[in-house]
Amino acid sequence: MLKTWFAPLTALTLLLCLNVTVHAADKPVTVQEDEKLPTAEALKVKAGTAEGRKSPTEVVTTAIKASKDGKMDVLKTCFTKDNQQYLENESYYKGQNIKAIDAVAIVLAAFDPANLKEFAQNTQGNYAVVMHATKAGGMRLIRTTYEKKNWCLKDYWVDEFSRDYGAGVKETREAIDAGGAKLKERIDPYESDTLDLLSGAQDGVDPYDLLSKRLKKLSASEGAPRIFLNYWSSELAYWFNNPKAGEKDPKDTFVVLRSELRYDWEKKEYSTDAKVALVSTAQFAKRPGSKFKEWTNDYEPWEPEEEKEGGDKEGGK
């Protein structure tokens, strides 16, 4: 149930899409079926080759150590090649105008390598998340990506390292249980406006109470959910598996929360909150496999990682 949200485990994937041709008025129309969700064993993490970057956990550990030792040249090599150019840009961090790499180093220097846990995110093995758990129950999630046979930090902006994905989850869970106005408080206005339109449509029916029932049903699970961080945004999908689901109900369901990072200019402090991401939750309910593929960037790379010896990209001599 929802009480298991704080103990994320691993896994999940999907197969290739299926195309079915149907006929309407003698004109063929191609309909793309939803991707199928895979087993936990389908997820993987590729092995890197360079010392300190052979795995997602290893590159994060290397970045933490370099930050503690003040070795910015080593820290810089931990990021993707494209993002290394932005690390020298100016960044505002807690009242200081410093370089982006220095701001990230301040945050990473406070992390403990002993508190890292790695989560595979897709079937290609080229995206993984490393969680840093704090004694206070915080949950920092660091995106890592596989690039040229080694693992790199995907994000370079300090906000992504300061965001606590554990903050606000307890309050959101309680709001889902309560329904009504409490649940409305945990939804952004641009998403709750549609539900407000339904208020009063039928006597005694509160759309937020109905949503509460649906979310509780989606989060029914015998064990802890798996977690999947959107490759592109601060939305975190909780994947629940309910083997006792009825014949007409899906055994795999998702609830998505959006992490909101806030900054208090007077106190010069960051804080984080969590909201229910209705649109993403609905999209997962409608086409879970396809949404997962998009969510975790589960696609084969467009270009080969390296050229064959003695040849070019076209296979020349």
Side-chain angles (χ1 to χ4, degrees), residues 25-287:
D26 297 325
K27 293 182 179 181
V29 179
T30 299
V31 179
Q32 186 180 47
E33 292 187 355
D34 186 29
E35 301 282 346
K36 292 185 179 180
L37 299 176
T39 62
E41 291 71 26
L43 290 183
K44 64 182 181 180
V45 174
K46 290 183 179 179
T49 59
E51 287 298 325
R53 295 172 60 189
K54 292 182 179 179
S55 72
T57 300
E58 199 170 271
V59 72
V60 173
T61 299
T62 299
I64 292 174
K65 187 177 187 306
S67 298
K68 291 179 181 292
D69 296 341
K71 296 182 178 180
M72 296 300 102
D73 55 336
V74 176
L75 177 58
K76 187 174 184 179
T77 63
C78 293
F79 293 84
T80 62
K81 185 176 181 180
D82 286 345
N83 283 339
Q84 287 181 16
Q85 61 183 313
Y86 303 116
L87 294 171
E88 299 300 316
N89 290 354
E90 187 176 272
S91 173
Y92 182 84
Y93 181 72
K94 293 189 175 182
Q96 307 177 67
N97 287 311
I98 56 180
K99 292 180 180 179
I101 190 172
D102 294 326
V104 171
I106 292 174
V107 177
L108 287 178
F111 287 8
D112 183 353
N115 295 332
L116 300 179
K117 187 173 183 178
E118 183 177 305
F119 297 91
Q121 297 286 283
N122 67 25
T123 64
Q124 298 299 323
N126 57 6
Y127 173 47
V129 166
V130 177
M131 177 180 73
H132 179 262
T134 66
K135 294 181 180 179
M139 184 172 69
R140 308 291 178 86
L141 298 178
I142 302 173
R143 294 183 186 87
T144 63
T145 186
Y146 189 82
E147 181 182 81
K148 296 189 182 301
K149 290 191 175 183
N150 292 300
W151 284 92
C152 305
L153 304 181
K154 180 181 180 295
D155 302 303
Y156 66 91
W157 200 243
V158 67
D159 288 6
E160 298 308 316
F161 295 88
S162 303
R163 193 184 306 274
D164 180 3
Y165 284 89
V169 174
K170 178 176 179 292
E171 291 78 6
T172 301
R173 187 187 70 233
E174 292 173 347
I176 290 174
D177 288 336
K182 288 290 185 181
L183 180 53
K184 181 179 180 180
E185 292 175 358
R186 311 305 298 182
I187 303 173
D188 285 326
Y190 76 89
E191 290 194 304
S192 64
D193 285 348
T194 302
L195 288 175
D196 289 339
L197 183 65
L198 300 176
S199 298
Q202 184 175 340
D203 291 341
V205 178
D206 185 331
Y208 293 97
D209 287 338
L210 291 177
L211 176 61
S212 172
K213 292 179 180 179
R214 173 59 65 185
L215 292 175
K216 283 190 280 189
K217 189 173 183 179
L218 290 176
S219 56
S221 177
E222 287 191 342
R226 305 174 186 120
I227 59 169
F228 294 88
L229 180 61
N230 191 312
Y231 188 85
W232 315 101
S233 74
S234 60
E235 290 188 342
L236 186 65
Y238 289 81
W239 184 306
F240 297 89
N241 178 264
N242 182 16
K244 296 180 179 180
E247 293 183 3
K248 296 182 179 180
D249 296 321
K251 289 182 172 58
D252 292 296
T253 54
F254 300 80
V255 174
V256 181
L257 301 187
R258 181 183 301 108
S259 179
E260 296 183 349
L261 185 67
R262 303 167 180 170
Y263 184 70
D264 188 318
W265 291 90
E266 293 184 1
K267 296 181 180 180
K268 294 182 174 60
E269 293 179 351
Y270 285 97
S271 63
T272 319
D273 199 6
K275 297 288 184 69
V276 178
L278 279 185
V279 171
S280 292
T281 298
Q283 290 172 342
F284 265 115
K286 186 175 182 180
R287 297 191 68 195

Side-chain angles (χ1 to χ4, degrees), residues 14 16-17 32 35 46 122-127 231-232 289-302:
L14 27 100
L16 297 176
C17 61
Q32 186 180 47
E35 301 282 346
K46 290 183 179 179
N122 67 25
T123 64
Q124 298 299 323
N126 57 6
Y127 173 47
Y231 188 85
W232 315 101
S290 297
K291 188 64 176 176
F292 177 80
K293 192 176 187 102
E294 167 200 328
W295 192 268
T296 62
N297 196 37
D298 200 10
Y299 303 97
E300 293 183 10
W302 288 99

